[in-house]
mmCIF file of all heavy atoms in Angstrom:
data_model
loop_
_atom_site.group_PDB
_atom_site.id
_atom_site.type_symbol
_atom_site.label_atom_id
_atom_site.label_comp_id
_atom_site.label_asym_id
_atom_site.label_seq_id
_atom_site.Cartn_x
_atom_site.Cartn_y
_atom_site.Cartn_z
ATOM 1 N N VAL K 1129 96.491 114.084 66.197
ATOM 2 C CA VAL K 1129 96.460 112.716 65.524
ATOM 3 C C VAL K 1129 97.076 111.658 66.326
ATOM 4 O O VAL K 1129 98.172 111.780 66.825
ATOM 5 C CB VAL K 1129 97.157 112.919 64.115
ATOM 6 C CG1 VAL K 1129 97.071 111.581 63.347
ATOM 7 C CG2 VAL K 1129 96.560 114.091 63.381
ATOM 8 N N ALA K 1130 96.242 110.600 66.491
ATOM 9 C CA ALA K 1130 96.620 109.530 67.399
ATOM 10 C C ALA K 1130 97.131 108.365 66.445
ATOM 11 O O ALA K 1130 96.683 108.315 65.242
ATOM 12 C CB ALA K 1130 95.480 109.078 68.206
ATOM 13 N N SER K 1131 98.139 107.561 66.922
ATOM 14 C CA SER K 1131 98.582 106.427 66.115
ATOM 15 C C SER K 1131 97.698 105.170 66.224
ATOM 16 O O SER K 1131 98.041 104.281 65.548
ATOM 17 C CB SER K 1131 100.043 106.009 66.743
ATOM 18 O OG SER K 1131 100.038 105.687 68.065
ATOM 19 N N VAL K 1132 96.618 105.288 66.952
ATOM 20 C CA VAL K 1132 95.590 104.237 67.035
ATOM 21 C C VAL K 1132 94.254 104.840 66.799
ATOM 22 O O VAL K 1132 94.079 105.955 66.950
ATOM 23 C CB VAL K 1132 95.750 103.417 68.332
ATOM 24 C CG1 VAL K 1132 97.123 102.771 68.684
ATOM 25 C CG2 VAL K 1132 95.347 104.342 69.443
ATOM 26 N N ALA K 1133 93.268 103.933 66.513
ATOM 27 C CA ALA K 1133 91.895 104.358 66.408
ATOM 28 C C ALA K 1133 91.429 104.984 67.729
ATOM 29 O O ALA K 1133 91.573 104.526 68.753
ATOM 30 C CB ALA K 1133 91.049 103.223 66.003
ATOM 31 N N ILE K 1134 91.020 106.259 67.624
ATOM 32 C CA ILE K 1134 90.483 106.805 68.839
ATOM 33 C C ILE K 1134 89.313 106.204 69.494
ATOM 34 O O ILE K 1134 89.083 106.543 70.717
ATOM 35 C CB ILE K 1134 90.205 108.481 68.608
ATOM 36 C CG1 ILE K 1134 89.072 108.581 67.554
ATOM 37 C CG2 ILE K 1134 91.408 109.008 68.161
ATOM 38 C CD1 ILE K 1134 88.717 110.060 67.415
ATOM 39 N N THR K 1135 88.654 105.421 68.860
ATOM 40 C CA THR K 1135 87.535 104.609 69.392
ATOM 41 C C THR K 1135 87.956 103.513 70.278
ATOM 42 O O THR K 1135 87.233 103.128 71.107
ATOM 43 C CB THR K 1135 86.665 103.918 68.312
ATOM 44 O OG1 THR K 1135 87.532 103.086 67.477
ATOM 45 C CG2 THR K 1135 86.069 104.962 67.391
ATOM 46 N N THR K 1136 89.315 103.295 70.319
ATOM 47 C CA THR K 1136 89.860 102.320 71.383
ATOM 48 C C THR K 1136 90.453 102.980 72.592
ATOM 49 O O THR K 1136 90.844 102.343 73.468
ATOM 50 C CB THR K 1136 91.028 101.545 70.669
ATOM 51 O OG1 THR K 1136 92.082 102.371 70.370
ATOM 52 C CG2 THR K 1136 90.652 100.871 69.408
ATOM 53 N N ILE K 1137 90.387 104.382 72.606
ATOM 54 C CA ILE K 1137 90.738 105.185 73.743
ATOM 55 C C ILE K 1137 89.638 105.516 74.533
ATOM 56 O O ILE K 1137 88.736 106.072 74.114
ATOM 57 C CB ILE K 1137 91.549 106.420 73.150
ATOM 58 C CG1 ILE K 1137 92.738 105.997 72.305
ATOM 59 C CG2 ILE K 1137 92.068 107.322 74.252
ATOM 60 C CD1 ILE K 1137 93.362 107.221 71.667
ATOM 61 N N ASN K 1138 89.883 105.269 75.839
ATOM 62 C CA ASN K 1138 88.714 105.615 76.751
ATOM 63 C C ASN K 1138 88.253 107.021 76.855
ATOM 64 O O ASN K 1138 87.125 107.380 76.825
ATOM 65 C CB ASN K 1138 89.021 104.942 78.172
ATOM 66 C CG ASN K 1138 89.124 103.485 78.256
ATOM 67 O OD1 ASN K 1138 90.263 102.970 78.138
ATOM 68 N ND2 ASN K 1138 88.082 102.879 78.374
ATOM 69 N N SER K 1139 89.306 107.847 76.873
ATOM 70 C CA SER K 1139 89.033 109.276 76.812
ATOM 71 C C SER K 1139 90.218 110.050 76.248
ATOM 72 O O SER K 1139 91.455 109.668 76.428
ATOM 73 C CB SER K 1139 88.686 109.855 78.304
ATOM 74 O OG SER K 1139 89.773 109.770 79.149
ATOM 75 N N LEU K 1140 89.953 111.268 75.565
ATOM 76 C CA LEU K 1140 90.923 112.187 75.138
ATOM 77 C C LEU K 1140 90.734 113.477 75.777
ATOM 78 O O LEU K 1140 89.639 113.850 76.149
ATOM 79 C CB LEU K 1140 90.859 112.240 73.608
ATOM 80 C CG LEU K 1140 91.340 110.927 72.881
ATOM 81 C CD1 LEU K 1140 90.551 110.977 71.472
ATOM 82 C CD2 LEU K 1140 92.741 111.034 72.708
ATOM 83 N N ALA K 1141 91.678 114.172 76.000
ATOM 84 C CA ALA K 1141 91.710 115.541 76.529
ATOM 85 C C ALA K 1141 92.720 116.481 76.042
ATOM 86 O O ALA K 1141 93.668 116.077 75.593
ATOM 87 C CB ALA K 1141 91.747 115.251 78.135
ATOM 88 N N TRP K 1142 92.426 117.836 76.156
ATOM 89 C CA TRP K 1142 93.252 118.881 75.965
ATOM 90 C C TRP K 1142 93.647 119.458 77.260
ATOM 91 O O TRP K 1142 92.686 119.817 78.075
ATOM 92 C CB TRP K 1142 92.769 119.935 75.032
ATOM 93 C CG TRP K 1142 92.637 119.437 73.555
ATOM 94 C CD1 TRP K 1142 91.554 118.996 72.976
ATOM 95 C CD2 TRP K 1142 93.764 119.535 72.644
ATOM 96 N NE1 TRP K 1142 91.936 118.633 71.655
ATOM 97 C CE2 TRP K 1142 93.281 119.036 71.479
ATOM 98 C CE3 TRP K 1142 95.010 119.973 72.761
ATOM 99 C CZ2 TRP K 1142 94.037 118.999 70.191
ATOM 100 C CZ3 TRP K 1142 95.852 119.826 71.583
ATOM 101 C CH2 TRP K 1142 95.255 119.420 70.395
ATOM 102 N N TYR K 1143 94.972 119.624 77.551
ATOM 103 C CA TYR K 1143 95.397 120.288 78.700
ATOM 104 C C TYR K 1143 96.192 121.647 78.212
ATOM 105 O O TYR K 1143 96.664 121.568 77.070
ATOM 106 C CB TYR K 1143 96.437 119.451 79.515
ATOM 107 C CG TYR K 1143 95.732 118.452 80.340
ATOM 108 C CD1 TYR K 1143 95.314 117.213 79.715
ATOM 109 C CD2 TYR K 1143 95.671 118.508 81.759
ATOM 110 C CE1 TYR K 1143 94.733 116.230 80.437
ATOM 111 C CE2 TYR K 1143 95.024 117.511 82.549
ATOM 112 C CZ TYR K 1143 94.566 116.374 81.910
ATOM 113 O OH TYR K 1143 94.026 115.378 82.677
ATOM 114 N N ARG K 1144 96.424 122.454 79.069
ATOM 115 C CA ARG K 1144 97.390 123.644 78.714
ATOM 116 C C ARG K 1144 98.107 123.993 79.858
ATOM 117 O O ARG K 1144 97.692 123.823 80.977
ATOM 118 C CB ARG K 1144 96.446 124.762 78.105
ATOM 119 C CG ARG K 1144 95.639 125.481 79.244
ATOM 120 C CD ARG K 1144 94.777 126.571 78.564
ATOM 121 N NE ARG K 1144 93.862 127.226 79.469
ATOM 122 C CZ ARG K 1144 92.891 128.102 79.304
ATOM 123 N NH1 ARG K 1144 92.760 128.442 77.957
ATOM 124 N NH2 ARG K 1144 92.214 128.761 80.106
ATOM 125 N N GLN K 1145 99.266 124.583 79.674
ATOM 126 C CA GLN K 1145 100.198 125.053 80.667
ATOM 127 C C GLN K 1145 100.798 126.412 80.217
ATOM 128 O O GLN K 1145 101.467 126.554 79.217
ATOM 129 C CB GLN K 1145 101.277 124.136 80.902
ATOM 130 C CG GLN K 1145 102.215 124.411 82.045
ATOM 131 C CD GLN K 1145 103.123 123.293 82.503
ATOM 132 O OE1 GLN K 1145 103.410 122.332 81.739
ATOM 133 N NE2 GLN K 1145 103.385 123.284 83.778
ATOM 134 N N ALA K 1146 100.535 127.448 81.041
ATOM 135 C CA ALA K 1146 101.084 128.755 80.793
ATOM 136 C C ALA K 1146 102.433 128.819 81.558
ATOM 137 O O ALA K 1146 102.593 128.113 82.476
ATOM 138 C CB ALA K 1146 100.178 129.823 81.237
ATOM 139 N N PRO K 1147 103.310 129.750 81.115
ATOM 140 C CA PRO K 1147 104.560 129.878 81.896
ATOM 141 C C PRO K 1147 104.440 130.135 83.319
ATOM 142 O O PRO K 1147 103.722 130.992 83.741
ATOM 143 C CB PRO K 1147 105.306 131.147 81.175
ATOM 144 C CG PRO K 1147 104.680 131.154 79.781
ATOM 145 C CD PRO K 1147 103.210 130.673 79.991
ATOM 146 N N GLY K 1148 105.139 129.404 84.158
ATOM 147 C CA GLY K 1148 105.074 129.549 85.611
ATOM 148 C C GLY K 1148 103.756 128.999 86.297
ATOM 149 O O GLY K 1148 103.683 129.265 87.496
ATOM 150 N N LYS K 1149 102.892 128.316 85.447
ATOM 151 C CA LYS K 1149 101.657 127.899 86.218
ATOM 152 C C LYS K 1149 101.551 126.275 85.955
ATOM 153 O O LYS K 1149 102.288 125.730 85.102
ATOM 154 C CB LYS K 1149 100.455 128.593 85.540
ATOM 155 C CG LYS K 1149 100.323 130.094 85.687
ATOM 156 C CD LYS K 1149 99.181 130.642 85.270
ATOM 157 C CE LYS K 1149 98.948 132.062 85.601
ATOM 158 N NZ LYS K 1149 97.748 132.836 85.014
ATOM 159 N N GLU K 1150 100.761 125.691 86.695
ATOM 160 C CA GLU K 1150 100.508 124.447 86.623
ATOM 161 C C GLU K 1150 99.689 124.058 85.368
ATOM 162 O O GLU K 1150 98.907 124.816 84.884
ATOM 163 C CB GLU K 1150 99.817 123.773 87.868
ATOM 164 C CG GLU K 1150 100.507 123.983 89.133
ATOM 165 C CD GLU K 1150 101.743 123.132 89.275
ATOM 166 O OE1 GLU K 1150 101.707 121.932 88.867
ATOM 167 O OE2 GLU K 1150 102.668 123.564 89.662
ATOM 168 N N ARG K 1151 99.940 122.738 84.909
ATOM 169 C CA ARG K 1151 99.152 122.315 83.672
ATOM 170 C C ARG K 1151 97.623 122.113 84.213
ATOM 171 O O ARG K 1151 97.398 121.559 85.174
ATOM 172 C CB ARG K 1151 99.715 120.868 83.268
ATOM 173 C CG ARG K 1151 99.045 120.476 81.945
ATOM 174 C CD ARG K 1151 99.871 119.143 81.393
ATOM 175 N NE ARG K 1151 101.112 119.533 81.116
ATOM 176 C CZ ARG K 1151 101.951 118.731 80.586
ATOM 177 N NH1 ARG K 1151 101.622 117.452 80.285
ATOM 178 N NH2 ARG K 1151 103.221 119.085 80.198
ATOM 179 N N GLU K 1152 96.749 122.536 83.339
ATOM 180 C CA GLU K 1152 95.296 122.474 83.757
ATOM 181 C C GLU K 1152 94.456 121.749 82.579
ATOM 182 O O GLU K 1152 94.875 121.870 81.417
ATOM 183 C CB GLU K 1152 94.691 123.904 84.057
ATOM 184 C CG GLU K 1152 94.723 124.755 82.800
ATOM 185 C CD GLU K 1152 93.919 126.148 82.952
ATOM 186 O OE1 GLU K 1152 93.057 126.163 83.914
ATOM 187 O OE2 GLU K 1152 94.308 127.107 82.192
ATOM 188 N N LEU K 1153 93.530 121.171 82.991
ATOM 189 C CA LEU K 1153 92.588 120.434 82.170
ATOM 190 C C LEU K 1153 91.689 121.410 81.396
ATOM 191 O O LEU K 1153 91.009 122.229 82.131
ATOM 192 C CB LEU K 1153 91.734 119.401 82.867
ATOM 193 C CG LEU K 1153 90.793 118.583 82.107
ATOM 194 C CD1 LEU K 1153 91.492 117.732 80.903
ATOM 195 C CD2 LEU K 1153 90.006 117.645 82.940
ATOM 196 N N VAL K 1154 91.566 121.443 80.040
ATOM 197 C CA VAL K 1154 90.719 122.274 79.389
ATOM 198 C C VAL K 1154 89.436 121.614 78.886
ATOM 199 O O VAL K 1154 88.329 122.102 79.064
ATOM 200 C CB VAL K 1154 91.507 122.844 78.077
ATOM 201 C CG1 VAL K 1154 90.570 123.706 77.192
ATOM 202 C CG2 VAL K 1154 92.791 123.554 78.493
ATOM 203 N N ALA K 1155 89.586 120.485 78.341
ATOM 204 C CA ALA K 1155 88.364 119.710 77.788
ATOM 205 C C ALA K 1155 88.690 118.254 77.682
ATOM 206 O O ALA K 1155 89.718 117.856 77.454
ATOM 207 C CB ALA K 1155 87.921 120.228 76.436
ATOM 208 N N THR K 1156 87.553 117.473 77.700
ATOM 209 C CA THR K 1156 87.655 115.982 77.586
ATOM 210 C C THR K 1156 86.540 115.489 76.683
ATOM 211 O O THR K 1156 85.588 116.149 76.534
ATOM 212 C CB THR K 1156 87.556 115.228 79.055
ATOM 213 O OG1 THR K 1156 86.329 115.510 79.573
ATOM 214 C CG2 THR K 1156 88.734 115.705 79.880
ATOM 215 N N ILE K 1157 86.876 114.389 76.053
ATOM 216 C CA ILE K 1157 85.874 113.718 75.272
ATOM 217 C C ILE K 1157 86.013 112.204 75.368
ATOM 218 O O ILE K 1157 87.243 111.711 75.370
ATOM 219 C CB ILE K 1157 85.915 114.134 73.788
ATOM 220 C CG1 ILE K 1157 84.747 113.553 72.962
ATOM 221 C CG2 ILE K 1157 87.275 113.759 73.125
ATOM 222 C CD1 ILE K 1157 84.611 114.115 71.587
ATOM 223 N N THR K 1158 84.998 111.454 75.654
ATOM 224 C CA THR K 1158 85.113 110.002 75.717
ATOM 225 C C THR K 1158 84.783 109.396 74.305
ATOM 226 O O THR K 1158 84.457 110.018 73.428
ATOM 227 C CB THR K 1158 84.060 109.571 76.708
ATOM 228 O OG1 THR K 1158 82.793 109.520 76.215
ATOM 229 C CG2 THR K 1158 84.168 110.223 78.005
ATOM 230 N N SER K 1159 85.097 108.020 74.273
ATOM 231 C CA SER K 1159 84.836 107.332 72.948
ATOM 232 C C SER K 1159 83.285 107.324 72.647
ATOM 233 O O SER K 1159 82.947 107.185 71.501
ATOM 234 C CB SER K 1159 85.248 105.908 73.207
ATOM 235 O OG SER K 1159 84.664 105.290 74.158
ATOM 236 N N GLY K 1160 82.487 107.728 73.645
ATOM 237 C CA GLY K 1160 81.068 107.778 73.443
ATOM 238 C C GLY K 1160 80.640 109.213 73.237
ATOM 239 O O GLY K 1160 79.418 109.481 73.124
ATOM 240 N N SER K 1161 81.569 110.175 72.967
ATOM 241 C CA SER K 1161 81.390 111.483 72.575
ATOM 242 C C SER K 1161 80.855 112.383 73.788
ATOM 243 O O SER K 1161 80.370 113.446 73.419
ATOM 244 C CB SER K 1161 80.599 111.617 71.340
ATOM 245 O OG SER K 1161 81.148 110.938 70.241
ATOM 246 N N THR K 1162 80.884 111.866 74.973
ATOM 247 C CA THR K 1162 80.603 112.857 76.063
ATOM 248 C C THR K 1162 81.677 113.858 76.354
ATOM 249 O O THR K 1162 82.861 113.493 76.288
ATOM 250 C CB THR K 1162 80.440 112.089 77.365
ATOM 251 O OG1 THR K 1162 79.290 111.031 77.196
ATOM 252 C CG2 THR K 1162 80.085 112.866 78.490
#
């Protein structure tokens, strides 16, 4: 949940980080739903 309208955000993403490993990009979505 964002504190602003997500339509004002250029892109949103989910990252994940397992113990002892680097944070990795999982998925992205743009304001245009790409």
